[in-house]
Amino acid sequence: MAATFGAARVLVASNRGPVSYEQRDDGTLHAKRGGGGLVSGLSAIGPEADALWVCSVLGDGDREAVRRGVGEPGVRMLDIPADVHADAYNGIANSVLWFVHHMLYQTPLEPVFDAEFRRQWASYESYNRAFAEALAAEAAQGAAVLVQDYHLTLVPGLLRELRPDLLISHFSHTPWAPPEYFRMLPDDIAAQVLRGMLGADRLGFLTRRWADAFTACCEAFTGGLGDTEVGVHGLGADGDFLRRRSHDDDVVRRMAVLREEIGAGRRAIVRVDRTELSKNIVRGLLAYRQLLDDHPEWRERVVHVAFAYPSRQDLAVYRDYMAEVRRLAGEINAGYGTAGWTPVVLHLEDDFARSLAAYRLADVALVNPIRDGMNLVAKEVPVVSDEGCVLVLSREAGAWEELGEDAVGVNPYDVCGTAAALHAGLVMSAGERAERTKRLAAAGTALPPARWFLDQLEALRAGA
Ligand code: F6P
């Protein structure tokens, strides 16, 4: 049977789309547009490309929007049943694949790949199939399809079967696990994930390290990469946007509030994260406490400004982690604080303008993930910093490959070592700090989001 073709010539597929809907009490739907690399990347190709973004409904507001036929041009939301989505997103993507790639399991008790896991895996398959079918229906002949992330590892293979004419890529925004960790997955599942990805013409990773880990997994489990090409595209910060946005009035107002909270003449150690289990916020707080013990001269003279924004709160382990962050910050404040000094200023509500305000006035930025695909905060802070900021950076962050030379490196598990790195950051001379910040900003903006996206599109077409 001859395939019927759609009209889109460039398609992006991701679980979370560029827009989400909230249903208000009066029944109206309110659209919220997201930012990020893919949004600016896709807008860079211009309207003539007949671009389409295929994503999933994520909540009740999105589902209602699809039912009412409300939507934005260039976006198609798939009405995946809520239970299937919960299994695929919470059960498999966030509780298994995320854990494997970030090596987060506490192995004496987990993972347990039992019948419940197999049931959720079946949902992950049908969720991936829904994406593949929608993409197959929407794509013009020979179109380029750019599939994103661990939620959609099976899509390239499924789509290749439906539409052999398409150019298909897949990009991983996370690390990739080394073979000895990846093999924790049941053999058939490990092979299915790799074969799904190898359905693509081209696979993209954020760093050489993650690309090599993927290649090593293929060599160990599928007999190699076959015809699939592997490329590295280290997404950078959007320098022009950040420099402009960080001087808007709302950011300036938040700087004044933050300065009050920190107190006159004090140094600020800043961290900004979505509270993912891989971000290592708890050990960051422990390291700060160690700093106050090892160097009491910093008491009253420094404040740890920690923004830990909620993420994946449907999962108990994420809620517990956030509670631990809150508890430990409270314990440090109770144990060390004085009438005029709050050692930890913790904020948990997402506020982009406040994040930029903190970036501008940070003396030291703490980016200490256990493992991270890239970490854009490490690239954003130096761009926005007013007077230069020392970057204390985990060698397990993807950003380490590009920024390591001008950062102060840490082993993220070494609390005493991290405390020493914070001290080194606080005592670094203003001149050296400014010089390093300049180089970090240049390296961090080398591949802005639009260029990052277009490079991948060009490479996919060039390989055809
Ligand atoms: O932290 C980055 C990341 O893992 C990306 O790979 C992905 O796009 C995003 O988080 C997914 O986050 P969420 O679960 O909030 O949609």
Side-chain angles (χ1 to χ4, degrees):
M1 195 175 71
T4 49
F5 298 129
R9 291 197 289 124
V10 178
L11 299 93
V12 166
S14 63
N15 173 64
R16 190 179 291 281
V19 61
S20 63
Y21 295 89
E22 187 201 339
Q23 190 169 6
R24 298 254 161 100
D25 289 343
D26 63 3
T28 56
L29 286 170
H30 175 72
K32 214 173 125 202
R33 282 218 134 244
L38 282 171
V39 173
S40 34
L42 203 56
S43 49
I45 61 176
E48 72 284 0
D50 293 322
L52 181 70
W53 192 321
V54 177
C55 56
S56 175
V57 298
L58 298 183
D60 294 340
D62 291 350
R63 199 158 272 114
E64 188 55 27
V66 172
R67 295 205 171 129
R68 287 187 199 173
V70 172
E72 302 223 349
V75 179
R76 176 167 166 203
M77 271 191 181
L78 304 180
D79 191 0
I80 312 270
D83 55 339
V84 172
H85 188 265
D87 286 345
Y89 174 69
N90 287 323
I92 300 296
N94 288 337
S95 300
V96 176
L97 299 178
W98 177 274
F99 271 63
V100 169
H101 291 316
H102 292 85
M103 307 203 305
L104 291 175
Y105 284 122
Q106 308 206 11
T107 51
L109 292 176
E110 54 179 21
V112 175
F113 294 122
D114 55 5
E116 173 60 7
F117 164 76
R118 291 283 164 178
R119 191 192 62 70
Q120 293 186 333
W121 185 260
S123 294
Y124 183 77
E125 289 175 319
S126 74
Y127 159 88
N128 272 258
R129 200 169 307 114
F131 269 84
E133 284 168 0
L135 292 162
E138 299 283 0
Q141 183 159 26
V145 183
L146 296 97
V147 181
Q148 309 299 313
D149 244 336
Y150 56 102
H151 315 92
L152 300 177
T153 56
L154 308 182
V155 166
L158 294 167
L159 184 56
R160 170 73 58 221
E161 277 176 27
L162 295 169
R163 291 286 305 272
D165 61 298
L166 298 177
L167 296 173
I168 305 171
S169 72
H170 181 283
F171 192 87
S172 291
H173 296 257
T174 60
W176 194 272
E180 58 275 19
Y181 207 90
F182 189 74
R183 67 187 305 161
M184 214 185 264
L185 289 170
D187 293 357
D188 60 319
I189 301 291
Q192 198 181 343
V193 166
L194 296 174
R195 295 220 166 85
M197 302 254 306
L198 292 174
D201 298 287
R202 198 165 186 284
L203 298 172
F205 294 89
L206 285 163
T207 68
R208 176 50 51 201
R209 185 179 174 193
W210 314 141
D212 288 349
F214 177 82
T215 305
C217 284
C218 290
E219 279 158 7
F221 305 117
T222 65
L225 293 172
D227 295 334
T228 303
E229 228 181 76
V230 169
V232 174
H233 300 270
L235 175 64
D238 190 342
D240 295 340
F241 164 75
L242 286 169
R243 275 184 280 264
R244 197 175 55 244
R245 180 69 183 86
S246 63
H247 286 82
D248 284 352
D249 289 349
D250 57 345
V251 176
V252 173
R253 281 198 303 276
R254 282 162 177 77
M255 284 178 81
V257 175
L258 271 178
R259 283 206 178 95
E260 278 287 298
E261 289 177 319
I262 293 166
R266 292 195 177 117
R267 305 295 197 84
I269 298 171
V270 167
R271 76 170 309 135
V272 176
D273 294 287
R274 296 203 318 163
T275 309
E276 287 160 357
L277 303 176
S278 44
K279 298 295 183 186
N280 210 21
I281 303 170
V282 169
R283 284 194 198 83
L285 286 163
L286 293 174
Y288 176 65
R289 183 166 72 187
Q290 191 69 45
L291 169 78
L292 300 178
D293 286 341
D294 293 348
H295 294 280
E297 70 272 19
W298 285 119
R299 295 188 193 183
E300 307 260 6
R301 291 177 53 223
V302 68
V303 168
H304 185 18
V305 176
F307 297 166
Y309 299 147
S311 166
R312 304 177 193 155
Q313 292 292 293
D314 288 344
L315 296 178
V317 63
Y318 275 74
R319 295 196 298 274
D320 293 350
Y321 188 76
M322 226 166 157
E324 179 56 14
V325 168
R326 206 183 287 120
R327 189 199 65 74
L328 184 54
E331 189 178 286
I332 295 171
N333 284 339
Y336 295 76
T338 61
W341 174 54
T342 304
V344 181
V345 169
L346 177 70
H347 286 297
L348 303 172
E349 319 75 45
D350 198 345
D351 181 343
F352 183 55
R354 192 185 51 210
S355 301
L356 292 175
Y359 288 0
R360 280 186 59 183
L361 49 74
D363 295 290
V364 174
L366 176 57
V367 180
N368 64 327
I370 294 167
R371 203 169 152 88
D372 210 337
M374 175 55 73
N375 197 296
L376 277 182
V377 172
K379 292 185 166 183
E380 290 168 353
V381 175
V383 175
V384 162
S385 168
D386 278 357
E387 290 180 18
C389 172
V390 177
L391 176 64
V392 172
L393 180 62
S394 164
R395 63 192 190 198
E396 304 306 321
W400 178 256
E401 256 177 42
E402 295 161 67
L403 307 181
E405 228 166 86
D406 284 301
V408 178
V410 288
N411 166 351
Y413 301 97
D414 182 355
V415 166
C416 293
T418 305
L422 292 174
H423 177 69
L426 289 168
V427 298
M428 191 181 283
S429 74
E432 183 174 354
R433 206 165 90 159
E435 281 308 309
R436 286 189 187 218
T437 303
K438 226 186 282 166
R439 291 193 294 266
L440 287 167
T445 52
L447 191 58
R451 194 63 254 161
W452 167 82
F453 182 85
L454 292 175
D455 281 359
Q456 292 176 65
L457 187 58
E458 281 161 18
L460 179 61
R461 286 178 169 154

mmCIF file of all heavy atoms in Angstrom, residues 339-366:
data_model
loop_
_atom_site.group_PDB
_atom_site.id
_atom_site.type_symbol
_atom_site.label_atom_id
_atom_site.label_comp_id
_atom_site.label_asym_id
_atom_site.label_seq_id
_atom_site.Cartn_x
_atom_site.Cartn_y
_atom_site.Cartn_z
ATOM 1 N N ALA A 339 21.374 36.631 64.872
ATOM 2 C CA ALA A 339 20.272 37.597 64.767
ATOM 3 C C ALA A 339 20.306 38.318 63.414
ATOM 4 O O ALA A 339 19.274 38.541 62.793
ATOM 5 C CB ALA A 339 20.362 38.589 65.906
ATOM 6 N N GLY A 340 21.504 38.632 62.923
ATOM 7 C CA GLY A 340 21.566 39.422 61.692
ATOM 8 C C GLY A 340 22.009 38.629 60.468
ATOM 9 O O GLY A 340 22.270 39.215 59.417
ATOM 10 N N TRP A 341 22.153 37.318 60.583
ATOM 11 C CA TRP A 341 22.717 36.533 59.458
ATOM 12 C C TRP A 341 21.964 35.217 59.272
ATOM 13 O O TRP A 341 21.892 34.412 60.190
ATOM 14 C CB TRP A 341 24.199 36.230 59.745
ATOM 15 C CG TRP A 341 24.873 35.318 58.771
ATOM 16 C CD1 TRP A 341 24.929 35.455 57.427
ATOM 17 C CD2 TRP A 341 25.613 34.123 59.082
ATOM 18 N NE1 TRP A 341 25.649 34.428 56.865
ATOM 19 C CE2 TRP A 341 26.096 33.584 57.872
ATOM 20 C CE3 TRP A 341 25.926 33.460 60.276
ATOM 21 C CZ2 TRP A 341 26.857 32.426 57.804
ATOM 22 C CZ3 TRP A 341 26.694 32.301 60.216
ATOM 23 C CH2 TRP A 341 27.155 31.798 58.984
ATOM 24 N N THR A 342 21.393 35.049 58.094
ATOM 25 C CA THR A 342 20.764 33.777 57.722
ATOM 26 C C THR A 342 21.721 33.093 56.763
ATOM 27 O O THR A 342 21.888 33.540 55.624
ATOM 28 C CB THR A 342 19.408 34.026 57.021
ATOM 29 O OG1 THR A 342 18.604 34.817 57.894
ATOM 30 C CG2 THR A 342 18.694 32.722 56.707
ATOM 31 N N PRO A 343 22.382 32.002 57.188
ATOM 32 C CA PRO A 343 23.442 31.408 56.339
ATOM 33 C C PRO A 343 22.943 30.866 55.004
ATOM 34 O O PRO A 343 23.659 30.952 54.012
ATOM 35 C CB PRO A 343 23.996 30.270 57.203
ATOM 36 C CG PRO A 343 23.548 30.542 58.593
ATOM 37 C CD PRO A 343 22.315 31.369 58.515
ATOM 38 N N VAL A 344 21.718 30.284 54.986
ATOM 39 C CA VAL A 344 21.186 29.745 53.719
ATOM 40 C C VAL A 344 19.899 30.490 53.373
ATOM 41 O O VAL A 344 18.960 30.518 54.168
ATOM 42 C CB VAL A 344 20.858 28.237 53.834
ATOM 43 C CG1 VAL A 344 20.329 27.709 52.488
ATOM 44 C CG2 VAL A 344 22.065 27.431 54.279
ATOM 45 N N VAL A 345 19.867 31.091 52.191
ATOM 46 C CA VAL A 345 18.618 31.678 51.683
ATOM 47 C C VAL A 345 18.093 30.709 50.636
ATOM 48 O O VAL A 345 18.686 30.557 49.562
ATOM 49 C CB VAL A 345 18.874 33.079 51.072
ATOM 50 C CG1 VAL A 345 17.651 33.569 50.323
ATOM 51 C CG2 VAL A 345 19.256 34.058 52.164
ATOM 52 N N LEU A 346 17.017 30.007 50.979
ATOM 53 C CA LEU A 346 16.489 28.953 50.106
ATOM 54 C C LEU A 346 15.163 29.405 49.508
ATOM 55 O O LEU A 346 14.277 29.864 50.233
ATOM 56 C CB LEU A 346 16.269 27.675 50.939
ATOM 57 C CG LEU A 346 15.660 26.473 50.223
ATOM 58 C CD1 LEU A 346 16.648 25.872 49.220
ATOM 59 C CD2 LEU A 346 15.245 25.393 51.242
ATOM 60 N N HIS A 347 15.038 29.292 48.178
ATOM 61 C CA HIS A 347 13.756 29.585 47.535
ATOM 62 C C HIS A 347 13.348 28.399 46.689
ATOM 63 O O HIS A 347 14.164 27.837 45.949
ATOM 64 C CB HIS A 347 13.846 30.829 46.643
ATOM 65 C CG HIS A 347 13.900 32.096 47.432
ATOM 66 N ND1 HIS A 347 12.868 32.501 48.249
ATOM 67 C CD2 HIS A 347 14.864 33.044 47.541
ATOM 68 C CE1 HIS A 347 13.188 33.660 48.825
ATOM 69 N NE2 HIS A 347 14.406 34.004 48.420
ATOM 70 N N LEU A 348 12.081 28.039 46.772
ATOM 71 C CA LEU A 348 11.610 26.830 46.109
ATOM 72 C C LEU A 348 10.610 27.112 44.981
ATOM 73 O O LEU A 348 10.221 26.193 44.269
ATOM 74 C CB LEU A 348 10.967 25.877 47.128
ATOM 75 C CG LEU A 348 11.872 25.472 48.309
ATOM 76 C CD1 LEU A 348 11.094 24.695 49.356
ATOM 77 C CD2 LEU A 348 13.055 24.644 47.829
ATOM 78 N N GLU A 349 10.171 28.371 44.830
ATOM 79 C CA GLU A 349 9.205 28.661 43.756
ATOM 80 C C GLU A 349 9.979 29.158 42.535
ATOM 81 O O GLU A 349 10.772 30.089 42.633
ATOM 82 C CB GLU A 349 8.169 29.741 44.139
ATOM 83 C CG GLU A 349 7.610 29.663 45.530
ATOM 84 C CD GLU A 349 8.639 30.141 46.562
ATOM 85 O OE1 GLU A 349 9.276 31.184 46.340
ATOM 86 O OE2 GLU A 349 8.822 29.431 47.577
ATOM 87 N N ASP A 350 9.671 28.562 41.404
ATOM 88 C CA ASP A 350 10.351 28.897 40.152
ATOM 89 C C ASP A 350 10.140 30.377 39.809
ATOM 90 O O ASP A 350 9.014 30.854 39.799
ATOM 91 C CB ASP A 350 9.775 28.004 39.038
ATOM 92 C CG ASP A 350 10.700 27.960 37.831
ATOM 93 O OD1 ASP A 350 11.600 28.813 37.755
ATOM 94 O OD2 ASP A 350 10.513 27.067 36.995
ATOM 95 N N ASP A 351 11.211 31.096 39.576
ATOM 96 C CA ASP A 351 11.126 32.506 39.206
ATOM 97 C C ASP A 351 12.376 32.832 38.373
ATOM 98 O O ASP A 351 13.467 33.004 38.919
ATOM 99 C CB ASP A 351 11.073 33.363 40.476
ATOM 100 C CG ASP A 351 10.958 34.852 40.175
ATOM 101 O OD1 ASP A 351 11.236 35.274 39.024
ATOM 102 O OD2 ASP A 351 10.598 35.604 41.086
ATOM 103 N N PHE A 352 12.183 32.898 37.052
ATOM 104 C CA PHE A 352 13.327 33.065 36.150
ATOM 105 C C PHE A 352 14.032 34.408 36.388
ATOM 106 O O PHE A 352 15.270 34.487 36.381
ATOM 107 C CB PHE A 352 12.840 32.951 34.703
ATOM 108 C CG PHE A 352 13.950 33.030 33.686
ATOM 109 C CD1 PHE A 352 15.028 32.166 33.744
ATOM 110 C CD2 PHE A 352 13.917 33.970 32.669
ATOM 111 C CE1 PHE A 352 16.061 32.236 32.804
ATOM 112 C CE2 PHE A 352 14.933 34.055 31.730
ATOM 113 C CZ PHE A 352 16.018 33.178 31.805
ATOM 114 N N ALA A 353 13.239 35.457 36.617
ATOM 115 C CA ALA A 353 13.841 36.787 36.832
ATOM 116 C C ALA A 353 14.717 36.762 38.087
ATOM 117 O O ALA A 353 15.808 37.357 38.113
ATOM 118 C CB ALA A 353 12.748 37.845 36.957
ATOM 119 N N ARG A 354 14.264 36.071 39.132
ATOM 120 C CA ARG A 354 15.069 35.997 40.354
ATOM 121 C C ARG A 354 16.343 35.174 40.120
ATOM 122 O O ARG A 354 17.404 35.466 40.664
ATOM 123 C CB ARG A 354 14.232 35.403 41.487
ATOM 124 C CG ARG A 354 14.889 35.551 42.860
ATOM 125 C CD ARG A 354 14.095 34.861 43.943
ATOM 126 N NE ARG A 354 13.798 33.511 43.544
ATOM 127 C CZ ARG A 354 12.711 32.836 43.921
ATOM 128 N NH1 ARG A 354 11.833 33.400 44.710
ATOM 129 N NH2 ARG A 354 12.503 31.606 43.506
ATOM 130 N N SER A 355 16.234 34.116 39.279
ATOM 131 C CA SER A 355 17.436 33.338 38.960
ATOM 132 C C SER A 355 18.473 34.242 38.291
ATOM 133 O O SER A 355 19.659 34.209 38.637
ATOM 134 C CB SER A 355 17.102 32.188 38.006
ATOM 135 O OG SER A 355 16.155 31.335 38.569
ATOM 136 N N LEU A 356 18.028 35.054 37.338
ATOM 137 C CA LEU A 356 18.965 35.955 36.652
ATOM 138 C C LEU A 356 19.566 36.970 37.622
ATOM 139 O O LEU A 356 20.760 37.299 37.535
ATOM 140 C CB LEU A 356 18.257 36.681 35.503
ATOM 141 C CG LEU A 356 17.838 35.810 34.319
ATOM 142 C CD1 LEU A 356 17.039 36.633 33.303
ATOM 143 C CD2 LEU A 356 19.066 35.193 33.625
ATOM 144 N N ALA A 357 18.739 37.432 38.549
ATOM 145 C CA ALA A 357 19.238 38.390 39.551
ATOM 146 C C ALA A 357 20.358 37.737 40.362
ATOM 147 O O ALA A 357 21.409 38.340 40.618
ATOM 148 C CB ALA A 357 18.087 38.828 40.462
ATOM 149 N N ALA A 358 20.150 36.484 40.754
ATOM 150 C CA ALA A 358 21.168 35.765 41.545
ATOM 151 C C ALA A 358 22.431 35.541 40.703
ATOM 152 O O ALA A 358 23.545 35.678 41.204
ATOM 153 C CB ALA A 358 20.604 34.441 42.040
ATOM 154 N N TYR A 359 22.244 35.212 39.442
ATOM 155 C CA TYR A 359 23.414 35.038 38.558
ATOM 156 C C TYR A 359 24.255 36.322 38.543
ATOM 157 O O TYR A 359 25.478 36.267 38.574
ATOM 158 C CB TYR A 359 22.984 34.798 37.109
ATOM 159 C CG TYR A 359 22.358 33.469 36.742
ATOM 160 C CD1 TYR A 359 22.158 32.460 37.657
ATOM 161 C CD2 TYR A 359 21.964 33.242 35.415
ATOM 162 C CE1 TYR A 359 21.576 31.253 37.272
ATOM 163 C CE2 TYR A 359 21.387 32.040 35.017
ATOM 164 C CZ TYR A 359 21.196 31.052 35.950
ATOM 165 O OH TYR A 359 20.638 29.874 35.558
ATOM 166 N N ARG A 360 23.561 37.468 38.466
ATOM 167 C CA ARG A 360 24.296 38.728 38.310
ATOM 168 C C ARG A 360 25.146 39.037 39.530
ATOM 169 O O ARG A 360 26.235 39.573 39.418
ATOM 170 C CB ARG A 360 23.329 39.889 38.042
ATOM 171 C CG ARG A 360 22.874 39.952 36.587
ATOM 172 C CD ARG A 360 22.037 41.193 36.305
ATOM 173 N NE ARG A 360 22.747 42.428 36.586
ATOM 174 C CZ ARG A 360 22.208 43.631 36.473
ATOM 175 N NH1 ARG A 360 20.939 43.751 36.080
ATOM 176 N NH2 ARG A 360 22.911 44.705 36.738
ATOM 177 N N LEU A 361 24.633 38.696 40.699
ATOM 178 C CA LEU A 361 25.402 39.127 41.881
ATOM 179 C C LEU A 361 26.197 38.005 42.560
ATOM 180 O O LEU A 361 26.811 38.227 43.606
ATOM 181 C CB LEU A 361 24.508 39.875 42.877
ATOM 182 C CG LEU A 361 23.171 39.291 43.311
ATOM 183 C CD1 LEU A 361 23.398 38.162 44.259
ATOM 184 C CD2 LEU A 361 22.322 40.379 43.924
ATOM 185 N N ALA A 362 26.218 36.823 41.951
ATOM 186 C CA ALA A 362 26.950 35.701 42.561
ATOM 187 C C ALA A 362 28.452 35.977 42.613
ATOM 188 O O ALA A 362 29.039 36.474 41.649
ATOM 189 C CB ALA A 362 26.700 34.430 41.754
ATOM 190 N N ASP A 363 29.091 35.623 43.740
ATOM 191 C CA ASP A 363 30.557 35.624 43.811
ATOM 192 C C ASP A 363 31.094 34.260 43.410
ATOM 193 O O ASP A 363 32.141 34.153 42.777
ATOM 194 C CB ASP A 363 31.021 35.947 45.234
ATOM 195 C CG ASP A 363 30.636 37.354 45.626
ATOM 196 O OD1 ASP A 363 31.217 38.295 45.065
ATOM 197 O OD2 ASP A 363 29.717 37.512 46.459
ATOM 198 N N VAL A 364 30.363 33.223 43.847
ATOM 199 C CA VAL A 364 30.720 31.853 43.493
ATOM 200 C C VAL A 364 29.439 31.158 43.035
ATOM 201 O O VAL A 364 28.400 31.315 43.668
ATOM 202 C CB VAL A 364 31.311 31.091 44.709
ATOM 203 C CG1 VAL A 364 31.550 29.620 44.376
ATOM 204 C CG2 VAL A 364 32.597 31.742 45.189
ATOM 205 N N ALA A 365 29.502 30.415 41.927
ATOM 206 C CA ALA A 365 28.357 29.605 41.507
ATOM 207 C C ALA A 365 28.702 28.147 41.779
ATOM 208 O O ALA A 365 29.791 27.689 41.412
ATOM 209 C CB ALA A 365 28.075 29.807 40.022
ATOM 210 N N LEU A 366 27.794 27.445 42.442
ATOM 211 C CA LEU A 366 28.031 26.033 42.758
ATOM 212 C C LEU A 366 27.184 25.163 41.825
ATOM 213 O O LEU A 366 25.951 25.205 41.861
ATOM 214 C CB LEU A 366 27.661 25.765 44.220
ATOM 215 C CG LEU A 366 27.770 24.305 44.677
ATOM 216 C CD1 LEU A 366 29.168 23.749 44.449
ATOM 217 C CD2 LEU A 366 27.380 24.178 46.153
#
